[in-house]
């Protein structure tokens, strides 16, 4: 039986960010994942879009998004330039007058929350980005919404963890279930697919949608898959740079974005569907290309490299399941267990904040600002069915 200080189940952006921050405090950490970086994080565009992704009725989430956006430069510095963090701004475009009105309405709400959204004349917008369509209806600049390359980020984090603790820091295995030593003793580690048990005083469940299938959880996590189709394209030399900013916008009411990468590629995304279809849908690819071309006509001349679909880990209120699980009697929490999943559309943005929240919990400090995200908030009477694990 092997042991360590912290086990992190799941090596997507969330699990790896948590593992990395915990490692930096001197803890021994093991990430368990059969294929790190292959889940939703593999598809993500990497927009760090606290402002432009602000949605009505998600006020509770805004504080965490802004906190994480502020944490990103330092987090990226710690991981290193290889993660592909760029402090470039976002340009938000309206295709027709109805789209302009919708974006203006959203801007009013964003401004009411103190968010920085600046109207631009179309001339100004085209001076900044000469390849946007000449006939658009409106433009706004969002200076604080930056980007990172999630694939480079997960690879950099795996490298950083293995450089620190050796290849065993990222264990290519599936966690079958959490293990407990007995009633009331809390979580003592995980059982792996080969039957081995890995023990630690703290286990972090950060395996995205996979948390639904993890045995031994003392609470039901209401996760649902929200699939997204997304495209990667190469910009021919003669069109580089296609864009300096991330461009996103509304085209006849449909959202679309184009994220330019440093390596001369661009990412166009993303659909959002709950039909359960795992593969890339042709209709989604068609709509993305059509709408992206309406904003940036030169998109038609890019080489299509890849169409990918992945499921985002959605929750009933679109906010993460983040924190310790309360014991059934309300007198404490289940020892040895922290949950960090359900990051839905914002996992890349929220990774540094999730890591900070988890680090606080490992240190014994729960930040009351994030109580709204407790992972058992949807359980009956707001309490986990944790009779078997009730702890301190
Ligand atoms: C098309 C698309 C575009 C997106 N764009 C953005 C964006 O621009 N900005 C943004 O912030 N977010 C974006 N997102 C959302 C973001 O991708 C997710 O919120 C984020 O990746 C969730 O990270 P995660 O680590 O929780 O889950 P995942 O990345 O899904 O990782 C979960 C990991 O757990 C592993 N795993 C599963 N079960 C087990 C098990 N039993 N044992 C061990 N390991 C297991 C899997 O192999 C996987 O590596 C996008 C998502 C999609 C689909």
């Amino acid at each position: 039986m092997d042991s360590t200080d912290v086990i992190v189940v799941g090596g997507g952006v969330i699990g790896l960010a948590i593992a990395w921050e915990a490692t930096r405090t001197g803890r021994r950490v093991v990430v368990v994942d059969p294929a790190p970086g292959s889940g939703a994080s593999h598809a993500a565009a990497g927009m760090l879009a606290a402002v432009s992704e602000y949605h009505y009725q998600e006020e509770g989430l805004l504080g965490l998004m802004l906190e994480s956006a502020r944490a990103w430069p330092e987090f990226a510095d710690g991981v290193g330039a290889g993660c592909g963090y760029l402090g470039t701004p976002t340009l938000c475009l309206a295709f027709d007058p109805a789209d302009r009105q919708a974006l203006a309405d959203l801007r009013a709400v964003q401004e009411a929350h103190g968010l920085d959204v600046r109207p631009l004349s179309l001339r100004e917008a085209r001076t900044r980005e000469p390849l946007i369509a000449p006939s658009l209806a409106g433009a706004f600049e969002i200076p604080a919404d930056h980007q990172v390359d999630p694939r480079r980020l997960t690879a950099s984090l795996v490298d950083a963890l293995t450089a620190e603790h050796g290849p065993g820091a990222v264990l290519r295995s599936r966690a079958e279930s959490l293990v407990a030593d007995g009633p009331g003793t809390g979580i003592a580690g995980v059982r792996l697919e080969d039957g081995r048990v890995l023990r630690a005083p703290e286990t972090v469940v950060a395996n995205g949608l996979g948390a639904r299938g993890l045995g031994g959880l003392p609470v039901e996590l209401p996760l649902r898959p929200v699939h997204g189709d997304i495209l990667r394209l190469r910009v021919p030399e003669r069109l580089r740079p296609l864009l300096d900013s991330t461009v996103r916008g509304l085209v006849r009411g449909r959202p679309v974005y184009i994220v330019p990468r440093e390596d001369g590629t661009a990412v166009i995304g993303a659909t959002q569907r709950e039909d359960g279809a795992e593969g890339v849908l042709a209709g989604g690819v068609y709509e993305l290309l059509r709408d992206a071309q309406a904003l940036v006509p030169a998109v038609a001349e890019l080489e299509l490299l890849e169409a990918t679909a992945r499921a985002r880990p959605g929750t009933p209120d679109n906010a993460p399941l983040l924190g310790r699980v309360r014991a059934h009697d309300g007198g404490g929490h289940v020892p040895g267990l922290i949950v960090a999943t359900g990051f839905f559309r914002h996992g890349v943005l929220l990774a540094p904040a999730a890591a900070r929240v988890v680090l606080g919990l490992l240190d014994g400090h729960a930040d009351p600002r994030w109580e709204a995200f407790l992972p058992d908030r949807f359980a009956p009477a707001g309490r986990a069915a944790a009779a078997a694990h009730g702890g301190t």
Side-chain angles (χ1 to χ4, degrees):
M1 216 177 307
D2 302 317
S3 73
T4 186
D5 294 330
V6 182
I7 298 167
V8 178
V9 180
V13 284
I14 296 296
L16 291 169
I18 291 168
W20 170 238
E21 290 294 7
T23 292
R24 278 156 52 99
T25 63
R27 291 172 168 93
R28 287 177 307 145
V29 184
V30 173
V31 175
V32 178
D33 192 323
S38 65
S41 306
H42 181 72
M47 293 179 298
L48 308 175
V51 177
S52 44
E53 278 282 312
Y54 169 72
H55 284 247
Y56 302 107
Q57 294 158 0
E58 289 181 9
E59 278 82 4
L61 196 51
L62 183 62
L64 190 67
M65 290 167 81
L66 292 173
E67 172 112 343
S68 210
R70 283 191 292 269
W72 250 103
E74 195 187 326
F75 180 77
D77 249 17
V79 181
C83 73
Y85 172 79
L86 293 179
T88 46
T90 292
L91 204 59
C92 214
L93 303 175
F95 178 72
D96 66 20
D99 295 324
R100 183 180 56 217
Q101 188 57 50
L103 288 179
D105 292 348
L106 179 58
R107 177 176 169 237
V109 183
Q110 288 163 325
E111 283 193 333
H113 285 85
L115 304 177
D116 186 7
V117 182
R118 303 175 190 171
L120 290 179
S121 69
L122 290 170
R123 181 191 291 262
E124 284 170 323
R126 274 177 58 83
T127 304
R128 289 177 196 208
E129 297 294 353
L131 292 182
I132 64 174
S135 57
L136 297 170
F140 301 87
E141 189 196 21
I142 303 183
D145 280 358
H146 307 313
Q147 64 144 307
V148 70
D149 183 335
R151 292 182 185 178
R152 287 175 59 187
L153 173 65
T154 51
S156 299
L157 286 167
V158 168
D159 287 350
L161 287 165
T162 50
E164 193 71 29
H165 296 304
V170 182
L171 201 59
R172 261 66 173 188
S173 180
R174 206 179 100 81
E176 291 288 344
S177 65
L178 301 176
V179 294
D181 287 333
T185 57
I187 300 302
V190 297
R191 188 178 313 283
L192 305 176
E193 57 190 338
D194 61 5
R196 267 190 308 153
V197 171
L198 183 61
R199 297 180 66 87
E202 298 280 8
T203 298
V204 183
V205 172
N207 56 335
L209 274 175
R212 292 179 304 176
L214 189 66
L217 267 169
V219 64
E220 198 178 320
L221 300 176
L223 294 163
R224 70 181 201 287
V226 182
H227 282 84
D229 306 293
I230 190 162
L231 311 174
R232 283 173 170 76
L233 305 96
R234 180 178 292 120
V235 181
E237 290 290 347
R238 66 191 161 76
L239 288 176
R240 293 186 191 183
L242 180 75
L243 299 166
D244 287 319
S245 323
T246 290
V247 161
R248 53 189 308 161
L250 282 179
V251 179
R252 298 192 186 94
R254 282 180 310 272
V256 66
Y257 55 74
I258 308 169
V259 184
R261 292 268 195 260
E262 279 177 309
D263 64 359
T265 60
V267 177
I268 296 181
T271 63
Q272 188 161 307
R273 52 187 175 77
E274 302 200 39
D275 53 13
E278 299 273 327
V280 177
L281 290 194
V285 174
Y286 165 73
E287 284 173 16
L288 290 174
L289 289 175
R290 179 194 61 197
D291 295 342
Q293 276 180 65
L295 300 182
V296 179
V299 161
E301 297 172 57
L302 310 191
E303 178 189 352
L304 182 58
L305 298 176
E306 183 190 310
T308 308
R310 286 290 188 281
R312 307 168 181 90
T315 64
D317 59 4
N318 298 339
L321 306 169
L322 179 62
R324 292 199 185 269
V325 176
R326 289 168 288 185
H328 71 292
D329 58 4
H333 58 261
V334 177
L337 175 64
I338 296 171
V339 174
T341 180
F343 287 85
F344 191 32
R345 294 190 312 261
H346 311 302
V348 184
L349 166 64
L350 291 176
R356 281 189 183 181
V357 171
V358 171
L359 211 54
L361 295 171
L362 291 174
D363 286 340
H365 312 299
D367 188 332
R369 288 179 301 165
W370 317 126
E371 264 174 19
F373 307 128
L374 286 177
D376 54 12
R377 65 185 180 277
F378 301 105
R383 289 285 178 267
H389 302 288
T392 52

